[in-house]
Amino acid sequence: MSLTTLRYGMRSAAVLSLQKQLKTLGFFKGPTTGYFGPITRGAVSAFERAKHLHRDGVADPVMRRTLATAAAAKAKAEGAGTPAPANWKTAPAPADDYRRVRYHGALMNVRTRQMLQRAETYAKAMGAPGSFSISQGSYHPGYGPSAGTHDGGGVLDIRISAYSRATADKMVKALRMAGFAAWRRGVGDGLPPHIHAVAIGDRQASPIAKSQVAEYFRGGDGLRGTRRDIHLTSVGHDIGRPVPNWARR
């Protein structure tokens, strides 16, 4: 199908599609209205610059084909079809894929990445950040402070120093909805503030990480000399222990 040129002042379904594709790639920051205004023109120019296209703020057929290809590639890489937050309970089990990859600069397996991407989607829907900053990934053996939890797969530490406790606890809830045993650390445990998350059912997880998952289902905090999970109390905003159906024991 031939593509028409879209330019400033136009309003159409094609402009709406253009805006959504630009938004997928992070170039479009405004509401997707279907109107080609100054925000859309600026986003088109930014994309053209990034892709070394003729920069004129006009979405000609070459620009539109390049954009559609890039948006489709990103959707595929991030796992198109990630369930909406309302359907987190019935989300399918993550892929049984233990290839090692990097995501947000951290080493993890494909299974963990898929679960993390779901958690980021859920967190964004709750008004929390939709992109998590990872301070420590998986497959990191011999690191003393982690006590062996990061030796194998499925384990992540997530930075929260820039967020309020309420926001951090939304992130914890999102991780739990995605199938992680997760806790906010730094509450009377002598640890620096962060979120510790273990992917439930990861067959490459270290023995101690698997024991933390067992403690999670018993209502504990996963630490040595286990205490009660703070997220079952007001200290952790009583977010409960939401577990998707595939991860239930």
Side-chain angles (χ1 to χ4, degrees), residues 70-83:
K74 182 172 183 183
K76 182 177 180 180
E78 293 186 351
T82 296

Side-chain angles (χ1 to χ4, degrees), residues 26-216:
F27 291 94
F28 188 84
K29 306 300 183 183
T32 53
T33 62
Y35 173 68
F36 199 126
I39 296 175
T40 304
R41 182 167 59 186
V44 169
S45 292
F47 179 80
E48 289 171 331
R49 180 174 59 248
K51 295 298 183 180
H52 306 290
L53 301 173
H54 176 58
R55 187 183 171 197
D56 56 7
V58 173
D60 62 23
V62 173
M63 179 272 175
R64 291 184 63 190
R65 280 193 292 270
T66 305
L67 174 65
T69 299
K74 182 172 183 183
K76 182 177 180 180
E78 293 186 351
T82 296
N87 299 326
W88 67 268
K89 276 190 177 181
T90 56
D96 190 32
D97 190 338
Y98 290 88
R99 289 174 297 160
R100 298 185 187 187
V101 294
R102 286 198 175 272
Y103 182 62
H104 293 330
L107 185 64
M108 62 191 74
N109 58 49
V110 172
R111 181 181 190 272
T112 302
R113 181 181 67 183
Q114 183 180 359
M115 292 170 62
L116 179 58
Q117 288 171 337
R118 291 181 184 181
E120 290 176 323
T121 298
Y122 303 157
K124 186 175 181 180
M126 290 188 283
S131 180
F132 294 177
S133 175
I134 313 299
S135 59
Q136 187 177 359
S138 307
Y139 307 109
H140 193 176
Y143 182 64
S146 68
T149 55
H150 290 260
D151 286 7
V155 182
L156 305 170
D157 282 351
I158 298 166
R159 297 183 180 93
I160 56 172
S161 59
Y163 307 120
S164 67
R165 292 177 180 177
T167 296
D169 288 344
K170 288 181 181 179
M171 295 164 67
V172 172
K173 184 174 183 178
L175 286 158
R176 292 183 173 194
M177 290 164 62
F180 288 92
W183 304 268
R184 172 164 56 90
R185 301 300 194 207
V187 184
D189 52 22
L191 297 171
H194 68 282
I195 295 173
H196 180 68
V198 185
I200 295 170
D202 190 296
R203 56 182 171 84
Q204 292 185 348
S206 69
I208 191 167
K210 290 179 180 177
S211 73
Q212 288 185 316
V213 172
E215 285 293 331
Y216 173 71

Side-chain angles (χ1 to χ4, degrees), residues 5 11-13 34 36 68 79 104 151 164 168 176 190 227-228 249:
T5 295
R11 186 188 299 273
S12 68
F36 199 126
H104 293 330
D151 286 7
S164 67
R176 292 183 173 194
R227 303 174 305 163
R228 181 170 169 76
R249 295 189 165 192

